[in-house]
Amino acid sequence: MPLDQNPLFRKVMAPWYDTEKACYIVIVFMFLVLLFGIAGISAASEKTEYNDYIWVPVLLLVISAGVIVSISIRLIKRYAHQFSRQGPKVP
């Protein structure tokens, strides 16, 4: 089904999970998961019987860092696009 060329609403509505507020909430939550992963690596490296399970906090750390980077890039692109549409401000 083709998109309507003359929509009722001029602004494209973003899904709720792609709003700025949701992105910031996910970044904060992933930062907490990242800190939890760092604490897990510290705890797993202290005890020798847990050294085999150090991959779990490392995986948490890598995945949360990847999500933070991904969402940060999305927000930077969004802000750059908004700035480029506004053009230079002339007094």
Side-chain angles (χ1 to χ4, degrees):
M1 185 166 139
L3 293 174
D4 188 10
Q5 295 300 325
N6 193 8
L8 180 62
F9 300 104
R10 298 288 181 210
K11 186 175 180 183
V12 177
M13 295 183 65
W16 66 269
Y17 54 84
D18 197 25
T19 60
E20 288 183 25
K21 185 185 268 187
C23 287
Y24 289 133
I25 290 171
V26 170
I27 287 175
V28 168
F29 179 72
M30 285 296 120
F31 183 72
L32 294 174
V33 172
L34 186 117
L35 292 178
F36 185 70
I38 292 171
I41 290 171
S42 173
S45 62
E46 285 178 4
K47 295 208 175 223
T48 56
E49 59 266 11
Y50 294 146
N51 282 341
D52 293 338
Y53 303 108
I54 203 162
W55 63 271
V56 176
V58 169
L59 186 66
L60 281 174
L61 182 84
V62 169
I63 291 174
S64 63
V67 170
I68 290 171
V69 168
S70 166
I71 292 178
S72 297
I73 290 171
R74 178 184 298 176
L75 287 174
I76 290 169
K77 284 182 181 179
R78 186 178 298 160
Y79 287 134
H81 182 67
Q82 286 178 358
F83 182 72
S84 68
R85 280 193 295 162
Q86 291 175 355
K89 295 186 178 186
V90 179

